[in-house]
Amino acid sequence: MGDQWGTVVAALIGVGGVFGGIFLGRRQVTDQAAVEHEQWLRGQRREAYAALLETWDGGLAQLDEIVGNWEGEHHAAETFEGDGWEESEKSIHQRTHDAFVTVKRAIERVELLGPESVDAAAVQLLTALRAVRDAVRSRSGGHSWPDWDAYGEALELADAARDAFLTAARGATRAAPRP
């Protein structure tokens, strides 16, 4: 009978070892999958963040070009047959809308990828972009366009938002993936 108990105990230890091996193997595969997913996500984030910064700079350059050409805009409005200031206002609104939409799409892509700290910074970018767009549009359709004070304040807000986004993005992409 003693030999039979030894066989039963050895069998139980063997079965326990098999279940332990299965559990540990599944755990290792799960951890490896989580790390690989985090690495993939970090790469996607890095691409989206870089694309956003490039699009952001391009969008602000477009808005700055609109304001920088204020003398040409005034001349065109004053020499236009019909209501040149109304046409100028329409043109400014359309060009600022186009620049805004392009940057907004890049911000939305970043918001899809997270994390929360970057999402919050992306919302600040969007708020700053709206402020710049609205400052460019401010007083459009009249001799007092552009509103230099509003534009300057909006650019300061945009610079601060870009810096905050860059800091958040740096933190999100530098963290090593962990299971």
Side-chain angles (χ1 to χ4, degrees):
M1 186 83 179
D3 289 336
Q4 293 174 345
W5 282 110
T7 303
V8 170
V9 169
L12 288 175
I13 290 173
V15 169
V18 168
F19 284 125
I22 290 172
F23 175 76
L24 291 176
R26 288 180 55 99
R27 174 66 184 216
Q28 182 179 3
V29 169
T30 303
D31 288 348
Q32 183 178 354
V35 168
E36 288 177 9
H37 175 71
E38 284 296 319
Q39 288 174 336
W40 172 83
L41 185 58
R42 192 168 73 175
Q44 293 295 310
R45 286 174 174 166
R46 189 178 303 122
E47 288 177 22
Y49 300 165
L52 172 57
L53 289 172
E54 186 176 322
T55 304
W56 171 265
D57 292 341
L60 282 185
Q62 287 177 335
L63 295 172
D64 194 52
E65 184 179 318
I66 295 168
V67 172
N69 189 28
W70 69 273
E71 291 172 325
E73 195 69 39
H74 277 244
H75 177 72
E78 291 168 354
T79 59
F80 186 80
E81 291 186 25
D83 190 352
W85 288 110
E86 183 180 333
E87 291 302 314
S88 172
E89 183 176 20
K90 286 179 187 176
S91 172
I92 289 169
H93 275 259
Q94 184 59 48
R95 289 182 289 162
T96 56
H97 172 76
D98 294 345
F100 179 82
V101 167
T102 301
V103 177
K104 184 179 178 196
R105 286 188 188 128
I107 290 172
E108 289 169 347
R109 180 175 179 219
V110 165
E111 288 178 323
L112 289 173
L113 296 170
E116 292 295 324
S117 61
V118 176
D119 288 348
V123 168
Q124 292 303 315
L125 278 177
L126 190 57
T127 300
L129 183 63
R130 278 192 184 103
V132 174
R133 178 199 62 192
D134 293 347
V136 172
R137 289 179 174 180
S138 177
R139 297 184 188 167
S140 63
H143 290 282
S144 62
W145 180 81
D147 184 349
W148 293 110
D149 293 332
Y151 185 65
E153 290 172 11
L155 286 181
E156 288 177 15
L157 180 65
D159 286 342
R162 188 183 192 284
D163 290 343
F165 175 79
L166 191 56
T167 300
R170 213 178 287 133
T173 56
R174 288 186 179 171
R178 304 177 79 192

